[in-house]
Amino acid sequence: MDRPVDRHLALSESRRRAGRLGAILLVVIPVAFLGYFFVYPVVTIIVTGLAPDGRLDLAPFETIFSRPSLLGVAWFTLWQAVASTLLTLLVGIPGAYVLARYDFPGRRLVRAGVTVPFVLPTVVVGSAFLALLGPDGPLGVDLRRTVWAILIAHVFFNYAVVVRTVGTYWERLDPSLEQAARVLGASRWRAFREVTLPLLRPAIASAASIVFLFTFTSFGVILILGGLRNATIEVEIWRQATALVNFPVAAALAVLQLAGVSAILVAYSRYQQRRTHQFRLQAAAAAAQRPVGTRAWLLVAANLGFMAVLLGTPLLVLVQRSLRTSNGIGLDFYRGLTQHATGGLFVPPSTAIFNSLRFALVATVLAVVIGLLASAVVAYRRGFAARSFDALLMLPLGTSAVTLGFGILIALDAPIDLRSSVWIIPIAHSLVAIPFVVRTAVPVMRSIQQRLREAAAVLGASPGRVWREVDLPLIARAGLVGAGFAFAVSLGEFGATSFLALPTNPTLPTAIYRLLSQPGTATFGRAMALSTLLMIGTGLAVLLIERVRVGEVGEF
Amino acid sequence: MCRRLLLLLVALTLATTACGSADSDTTAATSATTEAEPSELVLMTHDSFAVSEGVLEAFTDETGISVARLEAGDAGTMVSQAILTKDNPIADVLFGLDNTYLSRALANDLFVSYASPLLEVVPDDLELDAEHRVTPIDFGDVCLNYDKDGLADAGLPVPSTLRDLADSRYAGTLVVEDPASSSPGLAFLLATIATFPEDADYDWHDFWADLAANDVLVTSGWEEAYYGSFSGGSGEGDRPLVVSYASSPPAEVYFADPPLAEAPTGVITDGCFRQIEFAGILAGTDAPEAAGRLIDFLLSETFQEDIPLTMFVFPANEQADLPQVFIDYTTIPQSTAMIDIATIDANREEWIDQWTDILR
């Protein structure tokens, strides 16, 4: 089962050894990276929290289980994550379909645009979001401080995950399968349900797993929109570890969070391995067509309208606030950004932009290289070890930022003291970005027909060469989508870096926070201006990344 | 294959854990003895720290020692970070510890004592540690701010005491921060506890129950309260009363675009809580003497006179000159609520839980 390529062929001994070395490296590099930068810090901080004197003390668990409020937190964390995931799938899948199957003017722009909410700092979108949910918003009902506010915000932030992960896969599905079903008399719905949906399942499950992890560990959205009644385990870990300086209870909660996340991930991975079909993937362009007929146009229009309301409204509020000056619309706040020395911002905005881009670039390269190596392991191996490895790759997404940040702070002091090194910034970002690369690449890799690989091997290609020449071009496109996400994740400053003590390297999000920390119409306006620049920059970056062509992409 | 992968993972984790713990034990013991002049000191601050260009360079010109800055999270996060790394500190000097976390930091033996000669020019009531393990650098008052136009439009007088807010006339006008997640929120809760003590007929529980009945709005942080819900100045919301700082009105003027002649907001001086920020020399530094000179510099007029317009708090050094916008638009409350730091530390969690139960 394991290595059919080897079984079928009698390779020369040296070539086989080289192949084996390659295969080992494939495993060692991602495992070493995750082991040192993720597993080791997290294990260290949990051990420090639960066994401060070297002896394990389980009392914090008793504290958790004896306090109904903390049990309530655990329950709320779970159900809101499930609800948010289902809701995001429900609205995201039609969006993915429209963007994958229909070719209409501005499609590329829309596809890059949906990624923008994903990177915006919650504190910035938070206030704009209230404009959407207030009584005067486009929804027309007052949903502020309700659970709906949280769910809708989660859809807002995660919509791109579903649209892009599922969409990338969908545009490579051969439409002739569904067409055949229609010709044979199946209704549109039945053809979708019985032909397309089963084929899409790996991609949907991929997207769902990411959305679930993101919402399970939701922090900013819950803090800003959740009010006093709703807290997630993530928020509670943060509160215990920072505001209350109670490390034992924080560590116990971190264990609880990790256990929940791991259980879900292992279940997901089992499902994924069982469900994947191999079939012919094809070039994207062939599948996308101009919408024909009222029905198709309606579908496109409805989805674009939905995106405009859900994603567009809060973003437009930001833009509008950045342009609103005392004498009408103007660029005053953008110009004001250059008065950084006295304007509440202590660095030139160009420095912040440069820092953001620099970290994002390194994080993206790290995430893509390690993510693709790891994807190969996950996609081509089976059994418990591969499943555990898959879960391990995803785990940083489901680990509280406080746990990882504080873990890095106490663990990575030797042999090289990385605790306050600038390098830890892109490394921490890449930990969160790797799952995106893996989740977009694995479904594609699994679907590549084994016959293609075998043919290449029969023709004398080494396993490495087979991978390079058969698999790589096929997965490059998925890799690019992953790279786009990785870039966005880093630009948006996700995760553990907020809990490290780092040399002052202001990035766009930290510059925005800094501006928002003082009252004043100028600081507020400039914060909105910088947010708008961040939005535009993200859109452009994603657009550019997607235009990159690797090898023969699109020719398969 | 399975087994190999698993073994590798285990071996790797074990190996790294082993190296890590072996190293961290050895570092703590090296200090004291004669100190070589360091070329660099590391200053750890919270994320609201700000300093004008050229100010820290004045210290370098004076001493030949450069200052590298590390930016931690908010004040609570920074204290946690300092406690977690105390055996192998990441910095020499920590700045920005406030009185609500002071007791916790002192209990963890984070600092070594150092009495700066400049303490002479610092008012005694800012010095909260008799052993001089920490040195007061600045202070600011958390006070209610009001929207001048907003209150006038609603036909409401400016409340003169906290107790006024319990009046139903002020229903739906106040926004506060959650003390569980926000430092001004905690400061305001402490102010109400000091104003309405637990043994009084009308204690802080009663006061907050009245505020809850008056539809007080709670946000998670200062940004959401001030920008999102407050109607005054640069606020985008509809409530004319907010928990903010006594220095917010001068900031509204200083950061106004277009310029303002008068602050759009005012400060209610009853029920303010004074936050004092301290700096301390982290135990375990290799350069305690040089670190002491950095503390002196933080108290010097060069640094102290830069504080008001960068961090919008008051310098601890009485001889530091205040900028005009501060003199014109800031109100210093006659008296502020103070609670003993040990009492704060012992009761913080309990008080926050009780508060949450009332407001939930």
Side-chain angles (χ1 to χ4, degrees), chain B residues 117-135:
Chain B
L118 283 166
L119 281 176
E120 266 177 40
V121 292
V122 173
D124 289 343
D125 56 357
L126 295 182
E127 283 180 58
L128 299 187
D129 180 39
E131 292 174 48
H132 301 299
R133 285 167 293 183
V134 290
T135 308

Side-chain angles (χ1 to χ4, degrees), chain A residues 539-554:
Chain A
L540 282 179
V542 175
L543 212 58
L544 274 176
I545 288 173
E546 302 217 325
R547 292 198 89 106
V548 175
R549 287 269 176 266
V550 177
E552 303 288 286
V553 187

Side-chain angles (χ1 to χ4, degrees), chain B residues 13 36 46 54 66 83 103 112 144 164 166 172 218 227 242 261 271 328 360:
Chain B
T13 314
H46 53 56
S66 59
I83 292 173
S103 192
V112 291
L144 286 169
D164 288 349
V218 181
Y227 283 124
V242 65
D328 292 347
R360 207 189 280 271

